[in-house]
Amino acid sequence: MKKVVWGVLSTARIGIDQVLPAMKASPLIELRAIASRSLPAAQAAAQALGIPLAYGSYEALLADPEIEAVYNPLPNHLHVPLTLRAAAAGKHVLCEKPIALSVEEAESLREAARHVRIEEAFMVRHHPQWQRVRELVRSGCIGTPRAVQVFFSYFNADPANIRNQPSIGGGALYDIGCYAILSGRYLFEAEPRRVVALVDRDPALGTDRTTSALLDFGDGRQLGFTVSTQSCPFQQVQVVGTRGRLELRIPFNAPRGGSMSVAVDETGALDGSSVHLETLPAADQYQLEAEAFSRLVRGETGPHWGLDDAIAQLRVIDALWRSERSERWEAVA
């Protein structure tokens, strides 16, 4: 396959630390340029990562005729505006999650998505551990799946950090709760019908620092999760069925290029004697994500999740915010 030429909007940490090194390692990708509102910042990132071009504005990068696809890891409130600008320039866009702050905002991407590829960057869907767990659920080895339970947390109370600024889409639900929602949607292969939320907001920052929720997927299937930006770092996903259970131990921040193992318990012995570990091939979920999107740009077939999937995510988030206000169950509509 001819390499896809990429540009990157911003020197966001997730890009510098995770996504861009993964792109550089791919034989399917030519990482041509990085842009920042500060040219020195763009130049420093380009030099550190071996990227040929640095631009001092997003507009300059989008005007580069060689760039075919753009990675957008900007703060949440800039996802839609810069995705629209990139699409208007004829660039395909892989945009960090959440793709927008509401369903209404995401709907403004509809027309652009008819002309270029636009996808929300959930790298976990490309990791072998997630794909294997879904295979195991489908196989019936744990019986009928009844519950998915997710805990995801870290500690960050810095007022200057974008994750702690509610006006630009900060807080636990937008930042990491979206992964919990995706866990249920991906493993049940269905959409929730109704949700209820319990939200604790930081009195100074205004962000949701701890959010818990229960999602009803119908037919006895439930997703329960707690996400927190002010708790010790921890993450885990449990899938419990009528006969057994599955466990992802580092579900979201799997080490780049490392192998992971899934705990499989097909009988549910309380002493853990029925648990065995299934080790999966070493993988870089960010490289796999970028390569999958590059193949779509080249017209190849393969798993993909377009704008409709991103909007389905936001329907759930919108319903959870309504539940915070109403203090009752809310339909996902």
Side-chain angles (χ1 to χ4, degrees):
M1 186 185 100
K2 181 183 177 182
K3 288 185 177 183
V4 174
V5 182
W6 284 74
V8 180
L9 298 176
S10 98
T11 54
R13 183 175 176 182
I14 187 174
I16 299 299
D17 293 349
Q18 302 288 346
V19 182
L20 304 193
M23 286 182 168
K24 288 284 292 181
S26 172
L28 306 184
I29 291 170
E30 178 187 336
L31 189 52
R32 174 177 170 83
I34 186 167
S36 172
R37 289 175 295 181
S38 162
L39 181 58
Q43 290 171 331
Q47 183 176 10
L49 291 166
I51 300 172
L53 297 177
Y55 289 111
S57 72
Y58 305 137
E59 290 75 17
L61 183 144
L62 296 177
D64 186 332
E66 299 297 318
I67 292 173
E68 301 172 273
V70 164
Y71 170 57
N72 179 358
L74 287 161
N76 293 342
H77 71 301
L78 294 177
H79 285 175
V80 167
L82 268 296
T83 294
L84 285 171
R85 289 188 211 172
K91 318 299 186 188
H92 305 278
V93 184
L94 180 64
C95 182
E96 270 302 333
K97 49 71 193 168
I99 205 166
L101 297 179
S102 67
V103 169
E104 181 180 7
E105 187 185 27
E107 287 286 355
S108 68
L109 296 170
R110 285 281 187 196
E111 180 59 29
R114 293 187 178 96
H115 305 286
V116 297
R117 293 278 189 181
I118 297 175
E119 190 167 297
E120 194 170 29
F122 275 112
M123 72 293 185
V124 294
R125 290 186 286 210
H126 301 274
H127 199 289
Q129 66 172 339
W130 280 88
Q131 294 168 354
R132 179 56 178 155
V133 166
R134 186 158 72 166
E135 286 177 1
L136 290 168
V137 171
R138 287 172 172 173
S139 75
C141 77
I142 62 168
T144 302
R146 295 293 192 205
V148 175
Q149 296 185 331
V150 179
F151 197 100
F152 192 3
S153 62
Y154 60 83
F155 196 98
N156 182 341
D158 177 8
N161 190 284
I162 60 171
R163 292 170 178 80
N164 293 318
Q165 298 175 23
S167 63
I168 64 173
L173 183 57
Y174 279 134
D175 190 43
I176 52 179
C178 56
Y179 286 106
I181 294 166
L182 183 76
S183 300
R185 296 179 58 240
Y186 184 82
L187 295 172
F188 285 136
E189 300 188 69
E191 302 297 338
R193 300 176 180 180
R194 59 178 184 150
V195 304
V196 66
L198 177 62
V199 178
D200 173 50
R201 291 191 175 272
D202 185 293
L205 299 173
T207 53
D208 62 310
R209 60 184 174 188
T210 302
T211 292
S212 298
L214 186 62
L215 281 63
D216 176 11
F217 282 77
D219 300 322
R221 299 169 297 179
Q222 300 177 4
L223 165 66
F225 72 78
T226 295
V227 292
S228 177
T229 60
Q230 293 185 27
S231 297
C232 74
F234 180 64
Q235 53 187 260
Q236 190 175 77
V237 172
Q238 298 270 356
V239 189
V240 181
T242 53
R243 188 168 63 243
R245 68 178 181 90
L246 305 165
E247 179 182 331
L248 293 96
R249 296 179 171 178
I250 311 179
F252 308 114
N253 296 120
R256 284 187 51 236
S259 61
M260 296 298 299
S261 59
V262 173
V264 182
D265 180 358
E266 296 189 37
T267 60
L270 291 179
D271 63 0
S273 60
S274 57
V275 176
H276 71 272
L277 295 181
E278 183 175 323
T279 302
L280 300 168
D284 184 335
Q285 58 189 348
Y286 295 102
Q287 181 175 337
L288 294 171
E289 173 187 58
E291 289 179 341
F293 192 79
S294 295
R295 291 189 181 96
L296 290 176
V297 169
R298 287 285 175 260
E300 295 188 10
T301 58
H304 64 278
W305 296 269
L307 186 59
D308 285 342
D309 181 84
I311 289 175
Q313 276 276 125
L314 285 164
R315 287 195 184 101
V316 182
I317 291 175
D318 282 0
L320 288 168
W321 291 139
R322 291 196 301 272
S323 179
E324 178 193 9
R325 295 189 295 269
S326 71
E327 299 185 342
R328 64 185 65 183
W329 285 93
E330 293 286 342
V332 177

